[in-house]
Amino acid sequence: MARHSFIQMSKLHNVKGRISYITSHARQENLYATYHTADSTFWSNLARESQQEFKRSGADGKCIEARELIIALPEVYTTFQPQKVLEDFTRQFRKRYGVECVSALHHNKKKTNYHIHLIFSERKLLAEPDIKIAARSVFFDEKGKRVRTKKEITDENGKVRKGCTVIKKGEVYEQHLFTVKDDRYKTEVFLQEIKGVYTELINSHIHDPDKKLQVFNPASIYLPTKKIGKNNPKEAEIRADNEARQEWNRTADMALITGISEAKILEVKQEQIHTEVKKSIKKNGFMPNLFRTIVSKAKELLQSLIRQQDMPQRPTLSIDMAEFRAMQKLMIKVQDRAKAIKHLQEAVLPKLEKELSETTGLFKGKERKALTEQIQQTKAEISKGLDEMPEVLKDEGYPDVMAFMQTYREMENVVARYEREVWEYEKKLKQKQKPAARPPERKSVREQLRQIQSKGKQQTRSRKTFDRER
């Protein structure tokens, strides 16, 4: 699989505290740069007004004062000027959406995760404050909700209850410095959009096509893995979850290589994972163990389809086309690997497991231990083979198995059309008919194959790069 970009969004319930945390050298061990598009007064006013509106609304939960993006950067970015990197990413957001931001560029403690924190407001400042003055006394209850009469906020002794408010005639009872929240920031559409924007920006400064990132496509055959944050109390749970997802992804690659269509894999993913997860959440709430069980069952179903699938015959081509022949050899190489893995899964492993189940008795301890070790080694070999298969294609410039298979099928179609046209041309000659047109020349077909192949690989585009540190 290709390496995907990581851009995560979260809600902030204490924006001032979060700004202080991400921009403090005392609290951040590896803080390289900070950038503000508005002063602290802006964020104080934003937090206060957000809390006031939330209180008036009577909604449950916590007030969302702002939002934060975490943008992971490839390690090559450590060679660029930190302040310029941070300002470039922050200005890109502000220019696109017109809201104020605070950002910081960090490394984690082990210096394995170079990333940007970008806090942004969901509101904009009004050109002029919207001030409401009481034409008569105005009354608010403990929840900040406006009521009609003073009687509604007094106790049995006629005194105003604690937490209630009385605004006298002529006083300001409500003031707005900001617009209402822009609802687009809480949509999946926005998150996908900004992922695309920042992935493109990241890639514009990476010259090596093998190191360019891709936005994960949720409609693909693969399942995304989750990032494990610093001191995450659910680290073990997320690791187990990621392993289940990776097992599905490896099996999906194997299915493609053995000839199962992408549409069929997507069908299994939709029906056996997405649909079942929705049912499970509706019935039991979110339970990670149930999710992993669902993914495991879907993987087993896909493996059964692989077992039923005959491996496609090695393609042959009578025309000497270097472009297609090179890809043919690559196809044969990964198919041979897939056959070897399939043999281990369907013949070697079941045989060893059967032998182990039949090896019983007090004096068979050494034999059971030897068989157990062989089983573990076989499983490790299967796992290693599944991991290495996409890497073989990546070394040739294809981001993942799916991209390779799509490119290969398209090239097969071009060659098949060429051979058919040659056959028709020769048939007309034998029938002593003047051919309507000459068959396409090999050079033009080769050029077409090159174009198709280049589409399947990651492109290198010439873009302006950041100034490097001296």
Side-chain angles (χ1 to χ4, degrees):
M1 291 179 62
R3 186 182 175 191
H4 295 113
S5 55
F6 176 83
I7 297 159
Q8 175 181 282
M9 183 168 67
S10 57
K11 306 167 187 175
L12 297 182
H13 308 299
N14 177 10
V15 66
K16 288 283 290 179
R18 185 62 177 169
I19 290 171
S20 174
Y21 178 75
I22 69 168
T23 59
S24 169
H25 283 280
R27 302 172 74 180
Q28 298 297 330
E29 188 173 348
N30 300 302
L31 173 61
Y32 303 112
T34 62
Y35 185 58
H36 301 252
T37 66
D39 59 20
S40 61
T41 302
F42 172 91
W43 298 103
S44 297
N45 290 337
L46 176 70
R48 182 173 60 253
E49 186 162 318
S50 296
Q51 291 290 349
Q52 288 172 347
E53 284 199 10
F54 181 76
K55 189 176 180 181
R56 282 194 293 268
S57 72
D60 295 327
K62 293 183 178 179
C63 171
I64 301 170
E65 297 179 356
R67 290 181 184 262
E68 177 183 9
L69 293 172
I70 297 178
I71 308 158
L73 299 175
E75 280 305 300
V76 67
Y77 270 70
T78 60
T79 63
F80 303 147
Q81 291 183 2
Q83 191 65 41
K84 184 159 182 16
V85 170
L86 187 62
E87 290 182 15
D88 191 50
F89 275 73
T90 309
R91 286 170 179 166
Q92 175 90 329
F93 191 93
R94 191 170 190 274
K95 181 180 179 181
R96 190 177 187 89
Y97 300 106
V99 293
E100 303 300 339
C101 309
V102 174
S103 56
L105 183 59
H106 293 173
H107 244 140
N108 62 339
K109 189 174 182 179
K110 294 181 180 179
K111 292 194 173 183
T112 56
N113 179 12
Y114 198 54
H115 59 278
I116 290 172
H117 293 265
L118 191 151
I119 293 172
F120 65 93
S121 168
E122 297 173 277
R123 307 169 186 267
K124 296 179 182 179
L125 271 175
L126 293 168
E128 295 290 337
D130 180 15
I131 301 173
K132 295 181 180 180
I133 298 175
R136 61 181 182 83
S137 294
V138 180
F139 312 104
F140 296 92
D141 64 14
E142 295 91 340
K143 294 182 178 180
K145 186 177 180 181
R146 185 173 176 178
V147 295
R148 292 179 63 249
T149 63
K150 185 176 181 180
K151 188 177 180 180
E152 294 177 67
I153 62 169
T154 56
D155 58 21
E156 56 187 13
N157 298 319
K159 293 183 179 180
V160 176
R161 297 193 303 270
K162 187 177 180 180
C164 297
T165 308
V166 177
I167 305 295
K168 296 179 180 179
K169 180 180 178 180
E171 293 181 350
V172 175
Y173 72 91
E174 195 173 316
Q175 178 175 293
H176 295 283
L177 301 176
F178 299 89
T179 62
V180 297
K181 285 185 178 181
D182 191 333
D183 287 340
R184 67 175 161 173
Y185 297 122
K186 62 182 181 182
T187 65
E188 187 63 30
V189 172
F190 163 74
L191 186 56
Q192 286 301 116
E193 177 184 289
I194 200 62
K195 282 181 178 180
V197 169
Y198 276 136
T199 301
E200 185 177 353
L201 180 57
I202 290 169
N203 286 340
S204 69
H205 303 284
I206 299 174
H207 292 298
D208 186 348
D210 290 336
K211 293 182 179 179
K212 288 184 182 289
L213 307 181
Q214 292 183 1
V215 178
F216 181 81
N217 178 13
S220 76
I221 62 174
Y222 302 115
L223 290 174
T225 54
K226 297 178 181 178
K227 192 172 185 67
I228 302 173
K230 179 182 177 182
N231 300 325
N232 193 323
K234 296 183 179 180
E235 180 177 351
E237 182 181 296
I238 296 172
R239 285 193 188 282
D241 183 82
N242 283 345
E243 180 57 34
R245 291 167 182 265
Q246 287 167 349
E247 283 293 324
W248 164 267
N249 292 342
R250 295 183 191 116
T251 307
D253 281 343
M254 184 72 172
L256 281 174
I257 294 295
T258 56
I260 296 174
S261 69
E262 183 183 332
K264 183 61 180 177
I265 301 171
L266 283 171
E267 181 185 320
V268 174
K269 179 187 173 188
Q270 181 62 42
E271 293 179 0
Q272 301 300 320
I273 298 180
H274 292 327
T275 302
E276 291 301 315
V277 166
K278 285 180 182 177
K279 288 180 183 177
S280 176
I281 291 174
K282 188 175 181 180
K283 183 178 178 180
N284 307 301
F286 181 72
M287 299 180 70
N289 287 335
L290 285 179
F291 172 78
R292 292 194 285 273
T293 300
I294 290 169
V295 174
S296 180
K297 287 181 178 178
K299 183 197 76 173
E300 288 170 6
L301 175 59
L302 197 54
Q303 285 177 330
S304 71
L305 294 177
I306 293 170
R307 286 193 290 271
Q308 297 166 21
Q309 182 79 12
D310 290 330
M311 292 291 285
Q313 294 295 317
R314 294 183 178 184
T316 58
L317 181 66
S318 59
I319 304 171
D320 184 17
M321 293 183 180
E323 291 82 2
F324 189 67
R325 284 201 178 281
M327 204 168 184
Q328 263 189 314
K329 290 178 181 178
L330 192 55
M331 181 68 170
I332 292 167
K333 188 175 182 180
V334 294
Q335 283 187 350
D336 285 345
R337 284 175 177 255
K339 284 180 179 178
I341 294 168
K342 196 173 179 182
H343 174 70
L344 290 173
Q345 289 176 327
E346 298 176 14
V348 177
L349 189 59
K351 182 181 177 183
L352 290 171
E353 289 174 338
K354 184 180 178 183
E355 287 180 21
L356 179 62
S357 67
E358 293 173 350
T359 305
T360 57
L362 294 174
F363 305 103
K364 298 275 182 91
K366 288 185 178 179
E367 292 179 38
R368 284 197 298 272
K369 183 180 179 181
L371 285 169
T372 301
E373 289 177 353
Q374 287 182 56
I375 289 170
Q376 291 174 344
Q377 289 172 2
T378 303
K379 287 182 177 179
E381 193 174 344
I382 290 170
S383 183
K384 183 182 178 183
L386 288 168
D387 285 335
E388 288 178 348
M389 195 158 52
E391 293 301 318
V392 171
L393 300 175
K394 191 174 180 181
D395 289 342
E396 297 297 328
Y398 298 95
D400 51 42
V401 174
M402 188 167 65
F404 171 77
M405 293 301 295
Q406 288 172 344
T407 306
Y408 184 79
R409 291 189 193 107
E410 193 171 348
M411 292 179 76
E412 266 191 324
N413 290 335
V414 171
V415 174
R417 284 198 301 271
Y418 175 81
E419 289 185 322
R420 186 172 59 252
E421 288 169 0
V422 170
W423 179 82
E424 289 173 354
Y425 176 82
E426 291 175 348
K427 182 181 177 182
K428 287 182 179 181
L429 285 180
K430 288 180 181 179
Q431 294 173 348
K432 296 183 179 181
Q433 295 179 2
K434 183 179 180 181
R438 289 180 58 82
E441 295 181 0
R442 291 186 182 183
K443 182 180 178 182
S444 63
V445 177
R446 282 201 290 269
E447 183 59 34
Q448 192 174 359
L449 293 179
R450 287 194 193 99
Q451 291 173 2
I452 294 169
Q453 196 171 38
S454 66
K455 287 179 184 177
K457 295 183 178 181
Q458 297 177 356
Q459 298 287 328
T460 303
R461 291 180 291 178
S462 177
R463 297 278 188 100
K464 182 182 72 176
T465 58
F466 290 120
D467 294 330
R468 296 180 178 270
E469 286 184 306
R470 298 294 181 185

